[in-house]
Amino acid sequence: MSEQLLNYRISGNGSPVVFLHGFMEDLSMWDEIIPHLPVRAICIDLPGHGSSPVNLQATPSILSMAREVEKILAHENIKNALVIGHSMGGYVGLELLKLVPGLEHLILFHSHPWSDSEDKKRDRERVANMVLTKAAVFIREAIPNLFSNPTVMKDTINEYVRIAEKMDPRAIGWAALAMKNRFDLAYLMEKHPEKYTVISGQNDKLVNVGLLNSFCNQHHISSVVFPNAAHMSHEENREEVIRLFQTIF
């Protein structure tokens, strides 16, 4: 990675909370949530997303993403904070808690701690190859699939498509391969269940919610499932998500 810091924005007053977006998103995904929270929000564009650079020659890695986030925390002298990561951001958050021991809690928001299955790894490779020539097709097929009812969320979907289409297709592929290459970090949650909260949507097509709930119950990890949401409860169940965050933060 370059020594240049990732793009980030700090707003609000209160305890520090690091907000990490998901795949093909940017820090704006939190814009309708943060004003309602009594926190000092550190919102970050992950490598290759939003206005952040990515070294396309480097080996794609979730750990390398986390190291870039760590640089921002060091630059801002943030040693203690809560972290919330949406989807891919949750993967980054898991690695970040390993790098920065003072981080007190991670909310896996529509995310999970496991590595990809072999089938999913092959799918990541397919995506990385496809976006080089058909990025627009992939984006317009993938994003509606994140919502329970795409027809109702048409305007919101169009905004996420617009954000994704601004990305360099090579950066999309790089991030897909970074997710493919990530490690299984479930053991971290098993060892310190009190440091984690899991938030899911019952209709999520990208997360095995049943398996995740069983894991959380077995290891006494706090978890919440929104019954009428898929992968984007901050859009589909915004008021409920805000109320939940207010109880956590």
Side-chain angles (χ1 to χ4, degrees):
M1 293 285 180
S2 166
E3 287 306 309
Q4 178 183 353
L5 290 176
L6 300 177
N7 180 59
Y8 68 101
R9 180 178 67 207
I10 297 180
S11 62
N13 298 294
S15 298
V17 179
V18 179
F19 290 83
L20 304 175
H21 62 76
F23 180 53
M24 298 196 302
E25 299 167 349
D26 65 15
L27 56 74
S28 69
M29 71 162 282
W30 308 108
D31 283 355
E32 301 301 321
I33 302 292
I34 287 172
H36 302 279
L37 304 177
V39 301
R40 181 186 180 212
I42 302 96
C43 296
I44 299 170
D45 280 337
L46 292 172
H49 293 67
S51 299
S52 285
V54 62
N55 179 2
L56 295 170
Q57 304 307 313
T59 300
S61 165
I62 292 295
L63 176 57
S64 68
M65 290 188 179
R67 285 174 173 151
E68 294 302 305
V69 174
E70 181 188 19
K71 291 179 184 178
I72 291 173
L73 300 186
H75 181 74
E76 294 291 339
N77 197 31
I78 296 171
K79 297 182 174 64
N80 301 289
L82 186 148
V83 180
I84 176 168
H86 179 243
S87 196
M88 183 183 75
Y91 308 152
V92 176
L94 284 162
E95 292 285 4
L96 187 64
L97 259 65
K98 289 169 55 184
L99 295 172
V100 187
L103 297 179
E104 58 200 55
H105 199 85
L106 170 64
I107 299 175
L108 287 173
F109 190 52
H110 303 282
S111 189
H112 62 82
W114 301 299
S115 56
D116 281 346
S117 66
E118 291 305 313
D119 283 347
K120 188 63 176 179
K121 287 179 180 179
R122 285 190 287 270
D123 186 58
R124 303 278 196 203
E125 291 175 351
R126 179 190 65 82
V127 168
N129 290 323
M130 178 183 180
V131 294
L132 295 179
T133 56
K134 298 179 180 179
V137 172
F138 169 71
I139 290 167
R140 291 177 179 273
E141 288 180 353
I143 290 179
N145 202 43
L146 304 177
F147 294 83
S148 288
N149 192 338
T151 302
V152 172
M153 305 299 295
K154 186 176 179 180
D155 290 343
T156 300
I157 289 170
N158 287 339
E159 178 61 17
Y160 278 91
V161 167
R162 184 191 68 79
I163 290 168
E165 287 184 335
K166 290 170 62 178
M167 289 182 64
D168 184 334
R170 297 172 298 169
I172 296 175
W174 191 96
L177 294 177
M179 290 188 285
K180 173 210 165 191
N181 294 338
R182 76 185 189 278
F183 301 105
D184 189 318
L185 297 179
Y187 73 91
L188 296 175
M189 300 177 70
E190 295 171 5
K191 187 175 181 180
H192 292 290
E194 74 283 356
K195 294 190 69 171
Y196 300 90
T197 298
V198 175
I199 300 174
S200 307
Q202 189 63 55
N203 303 322
D204 198 330
K205 299 175 183 177
L206 302 186
V207 177
N208 187 330
V209 177
L211 181 63
L212 187 56
N213 274 345
S214 295
F215 172 79
C216 290
N217 290 334
Q218 179 182 354
H219 297 287
H220 308 289
I221 298 165
S222 177
S223 64
V224 176
V225 179
F226 287 107
N228 301 312
H231 201 64
M232 308 288 276
S233 65
H234 59 292
E235 298 289 358
E236 296 184 290
N237 297 75
R238 182 176 297 158
E239 296 303 319
E240 293 94 330
V241 168
I242 289 171
R243 284 196 293 269
L244 176 60
F245 285 175
Q246 286 171 339
T247 66
I248 296 173
F249 302 153

